[in-house]
């Protein structure tokens, strides 16, 4: 079959800080191609609607799949589905991805026939059976597939993540992908899943707290095939298993692979396995994202991070000693007042690390979705992007956005203002010498993208599609939140037990 896969447009923060290659969609494309289908991909992060319409006209896909890892893209995806049905009558349209897995039935109803199915759970094991069923009829029986007729069998979980390999060759404008100064930047996956259970996160509920590792040989093979000089390791928490990180490092050393790396991890993992991060620093690990989330014990307990403030600050010191630049994330509680914003600004200016702010957002699939959803002030999908407040704020909303953007601007100026102009110019010059302009554009877009008037005005836009409210669920057994479930023999997670 002719399959066209689509990634929606970039979200607000992606306009500045990063634009990542759609690795999950590339892997689904690889699985479909391995099954003998003809596949094309359109990434609307780097292409536009005209490109998509042109592809529809020339390719005439028999099936079109849209990746929905972010709630904020759901209205755009439904609109794409609607005009796909008009442009290519008979085309089977389906959605898949992390976020839509938690609201599949509601999205199908909202699409009013423009979407034929939603794939819940991992897309790689589902896409080939789905396309076979589309060709032969009877998609209702495909594992993980939801249609207007209801749920099919439970989603299947990949046994291992060595295959399918991502179909990177299908991507146009690969040099448009970047993260900060790592420009251009590819992405790779060494592990999948997370054994922790933070209350604001849906990674563990999506994967059912499963955790799988790529074989060191397969990871190194894929890394060696990547042409970009920079690589983002997309694991939810890198190097939980130190022996796995060491084994991949040994393969990288043996093959003489030289890249610069960016990864995400936890403070306690960094402190427990410092020697692995030290080894990767020698291999080119340049940047690390640490989700500190809160500065005090109360906030950490609220989000069930299971780390202490002392561990977080010790981790920062450890990363400094290793020569790894750190980006910190703090979650902005809508209950913050002006004094709390001031304290955060003072902290951010007192440390050398980059500090990012994300607004506490109850997403479907998280525990806080079930505790906070009844307090929502808006159900506009487009505002669920961790940059808008969707529950009541202690400050008037306009003042909240003023303080939020003021704080973000201070942090932006700290790293990209005149005081760091020399370092930025050096990086900028290096990137421009290689024809890379993503980092340069990022430097000058902040005030246009982030401003309180724009964020406040977003709340006044007409709303066509609204996020559904969750059913009342008693969370005594949190496995009720899982998309994927595992056989009893595999229920013990590889990380900390809680």
């Amino acid at each position: 079959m002719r399959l066209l896969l689509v990634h929606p447009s970039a979200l607000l923060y992606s306009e500045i800080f990063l634009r990542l290659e759609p690795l999950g969609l590339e892997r689904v494309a690889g699985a479909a191609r391995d099954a003998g289908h003809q596949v094309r991909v359109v990434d609307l992060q780097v292409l536009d609607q005209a490109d998509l319409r042109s592809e529809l006209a020339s390719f005439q896909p028999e099936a079109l799949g849209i990746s929905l890892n972010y709630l904020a893209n759901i209205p755009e995806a439904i609109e794409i589905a609607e005009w796909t049905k008009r442009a290519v009558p008979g085309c089977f349209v389906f959605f898949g991805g992390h976020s839509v897995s938690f609201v599949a039935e509601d999205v199908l109803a909202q699409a009013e026939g423009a979407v034929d199915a939603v794939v819940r759970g991992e897309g790689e094991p589902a896409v080939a059976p789905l396309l076979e069923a589309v060709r032969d009829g009877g998609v209702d029986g495909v594992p993980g597939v939801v249609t207007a007729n209801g749920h099919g069998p439970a989603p299947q979980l990949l046994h291992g993540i060595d295959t399918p390999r991502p179909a990177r060759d299908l991507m146009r404008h690969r040099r448009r992908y970047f993260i900060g100064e790592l420009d251009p930047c590819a992405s790779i996956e060494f592990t999948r899943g997370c054994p922790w259970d933070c209350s604001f996160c849906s990674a563990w509920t999506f994967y059912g707290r499963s955790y799988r590792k790529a074989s060191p040989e397969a990871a190194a093979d894929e890394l060696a095939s990547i042409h970009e000089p920079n690589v983002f390791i997309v694991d939810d928490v890198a190097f939980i298993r130190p022996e796995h990180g060491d084994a991949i490092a040994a393969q990288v050393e043996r093959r003489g692979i030289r890249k610069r790396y960016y990864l995400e991890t936890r403070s306690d993992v960094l402190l427990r396995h410092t020697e692995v991060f030290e080894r990767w620093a020698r291999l080119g690990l340049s940047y690390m994202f640490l989700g500190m989330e809160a500065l005090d014990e109360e906030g950490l307990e609220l989000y069930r991070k299971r780390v202490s403030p002392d561990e977080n600050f010790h981790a920062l010191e450890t990363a400094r000693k290793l020569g790894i630049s750190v980006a910190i994330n703090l979650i902005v509680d809508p209950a913050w007042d002006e004094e709390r914003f001031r304290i955060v600004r003072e902290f951010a200016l007192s440390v050398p690390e980059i500090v990012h702010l994300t607004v506490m957002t109850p997403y479907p699939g998280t525990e806080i979705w079930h505790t906070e959803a009844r307090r929502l002030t808006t159900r506009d999908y487009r505002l669920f992007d961790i940059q808008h407040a969707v529950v009541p704020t202690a400050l008037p909303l306009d003042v909240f956005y003023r303080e939020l953007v003021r704080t973000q601007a201070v942090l932006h100026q700290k790293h990209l203002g005149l005081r760091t102009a020399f370092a930025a110019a050096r990086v900028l010059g290096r990137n421009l010498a290689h024809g890379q302009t993503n980092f340069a554009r990022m430097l000058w877009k902040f005030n246009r993208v982030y401003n309180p008037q724009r964020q406040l005005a977003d709340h006044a836009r007409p709303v066509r599609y609204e996020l559904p409210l969750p059913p009342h669920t008693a969370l005594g057994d949190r496995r009720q939140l899982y998309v994927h479930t595992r056989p009893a023999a595999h229920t013990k997670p590889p990380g900390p037990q809680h």
Side-chain angles (χ1 to χ4, degrees):
M1 292 186 71
R2 294 185 305 278
L3 170 65
L4 180 62
L5 295 173
V6 180
H7 189 286
S9 304
L11 301 183
L12 188 149
Y13 62 86
S14 297
E15 294 183 39
I16 296 183
F17 302 115
L18 53 84
R19 186 187 303 115
L20 301 179
E21 71 168 307
L23 186 63
L25 199 63
E26 291 171 349
R27 288 181 58 105
V28 170
R33 195 163 62 177
D34 289 347
H37 300 283
Q38 187 179 354
V39 186
R40 295 187 186 179
V41 181
V42 171
D43 183 0
L44 293 175
Q45 296 179 108
V46 300
L47 298 170
D48 58 29
Q49 299 283 354
D51 295 308
L52 176 55
R53 292 175 186 269
S54 175
E55 196 72 60
L56 281 171
S58 62
F59 188 48
Q60 290 290 299
E62 297 164 271
L64 179 139
I66 303 177
S67 173
L68 283 168
N69 287 322
Y70 307 106
L71 285 177
N73 288 130
I74 285 176
E76 176 190 12
I78 294 177
E79 290 171 3
I80 292 171
E82 289 172 343
W83 47 261
T84 295
K85 288 291 191 180
R86 293 193 296 269
V88 190
C91 181
F92 183 90
V93 177
F94 64 98
F95 290 172
H98 184 107
S99 286
V100 77
S101 291
F102 294 103
V103 290
E105 300 93 336
D106 299 281
V107 170
L108 278 171
Q110 290 170 333
E112 298 180 337
V115 178
D116 297 293
V118 172
V119 177
R120 297 180 73 241
E122 294 184 329
E124 298 101 326
V127 66
L130 175 62
L131 294 178
E132 182 178 351
V134 170
R135 183 189 62 208
D136 299 338
V139 300
D140 292 342
V142 177
V145 168
V146 181
T147 68
N149 297 325
H151 282 248
Q156 293 182 339
L157 197 67
L158 277 177
H159 294 299
I161 62 171
D162 286 359
T163 57
R165 288 280 290 273
R168 291 189 170 90
D169 59 295
L170 296 180
M171 308 308 296
R172 287 171 278 177
H173 307 299
R174 288 193 56 83
R175 297 181 70 84
R176 297 283 303 279
Y177 302 121
F178 77 104
I179 180 167
E181 69 171 73
L182 299 187
D183 180 13
C185 188
S187 296
I188 195 169
E189 183 179 40
F190 290 164
T191 65
R192 182 179 293 187
C194 180
W196 282 273
D197 58 354
C198 298
S199 64
F200 63 88
C201 182
S202 57
W204 63 278
T205 59
F206 181 85
Y207 294 117
R209 294 189 78 178
S210 65
Y211 181 78
R212 287 153 293 163
K213 307 183 296 291
S215 69
E217 295 77 15
D221 283 345
E222 184 179 343
L223 195 55
S225 72
I226 291 174
H227 299 297
E228 286 83 358
N230 308 300
V231 177
F232 176 37
I233 301 169
V234 302
D235 304 14
D236 290 304
V237 183
F239 306 146
I240 294 174
R241 294 285 197 181
E243 68 277 8
H244 183 243
D246 274 329
I248 299 176
Q251 290 286 331
V252 170
E253 290 164 349
R254 184 176 66 80
R255 300 169 191 229
I257 300 171
R258 294 300 304 174
K259 306 281 188 184
R260 286 199 303 165
Y261 301 97
Y262 191 119
L263 57 74
E264 301 185 25
T265 196
R266 288 172 53 100
S267 296
D268 47 357
V269 173
L270 172 60
L271 294 176
R272 280 201 302 268
H273 309 314
T274 303
E275 69 285 349
V276 180
F277 292 92
E278 183 177 13
R279 186 175 188 178
W280 276 89
R282 293 194 297 269
L283 290 174
L285 176 56
S286 304
Y287 289 92
M288 176 187 299
F289 183 91
L290 282 178
M292 287 179 58
E293 320 309 355
L295 299 178
D296 55 21
E297 190 74 47
E298 182 182 4
L300 293 170
E301 289 180 359
L302 175 66
Y303 301 129
R304 202 164 57 233
K305 282 295 292 186
R306 305 189 190 278
V307 296
S308 68
D310 285 345
E311 285 178 297
N312 277 335
F313 295 127
H314 187 195
L316 295 181
E317 294 173 1
T318 299
R320 291 168 197 157
K321 291 176 182 176
L322 296 178
I324 301 171
S325 297
V326 176
I328 299 167
N329 186 69
L330 296 178
I331 296 176
V332 177
D333 190 327
W336 282 8
D337 57 15
E338 289 168 296
E339 176 64 11
R340 172 58 66 170
F341 277 109
R342 185 192 65 78
I343 290 170
V344 169
R345 286 193 293 269
E346 285 190 353
F347 162 76
L349 292 174
S350 71
V351 297
E353 285 75 26
I354 301 165
V355 180
H356 289 297
L357 300 178
T358 56
V359 179
M360 190 280 287
T361 304
Y363 281 106
T366 66
E367 279 193 40
I368 60 173
W369 170 242
H370 291 273
T371 60
E372 299 291 323
R374 301 292 162 178
R375 300 176 59 233
L376 291 175
T377 56
T378 176
R379 290 193 284 133
D380 183 350
Y381 283 111
R382 297 168 298 179
L383 299 181
F384 284 74
D385 63 354
I386 62 177
Q387 297 299 320
H388 290 84
V390 297
V391 297
T393 54
L395 294 169
L397 189 58
D398 60 337
V399 178
F400 175 84
Y401 281 132
R402 184 195 69 197
E403 288 298 304
L404 175 64
V405 172
R406 179 184 176 193
T407 306
Q408 289 169 321
V410 167
L411 309 183
H412 183 265
Q413 183 71 14
K414 167 188 168 186
H415 292 285
L416 299 174
L418 292 176
R419 287 179 294 176
T420 55
F422 178 77
R426 179 166 48 81
V427 172
L428 181 62
R430 182 182 66 222
N431 290 347
L432 291 176
H434 292 89
Q436 291 300 120
T437 62
N438 297 306
F439 182 66
R441 294 174 187 273
M442 178 189 78
L443 296 178
W444 313 117
K445 289 176 67 173
F446 182 87
N447 290 333
R448 178 166 60 84
V449 173
Y450 282 99
N451 66 75
Q453 292 78 22
R454 172 182 173 175
Q455 285 170 278
L456 187 64
D458 288 341
H459 288 261
R461 292 179 296 183
V463 180
R464 182 179 176 190
Y465 302 108
E466 287 191 316
L467 185 65
L469 289 173
H472 288 286
T473 303
L475 296 180
D477 182 359
R478 287 182 282 141
R479 287 175 295 183
Q480 296 176 79
L481 302 176
Y482 292 178
V483 169
H484 284 286
T485 56
R486 293 167 290 155
H490 300 288
T491 56
K492 182 180 179 180
Q497 301 296 295
H498 307 303

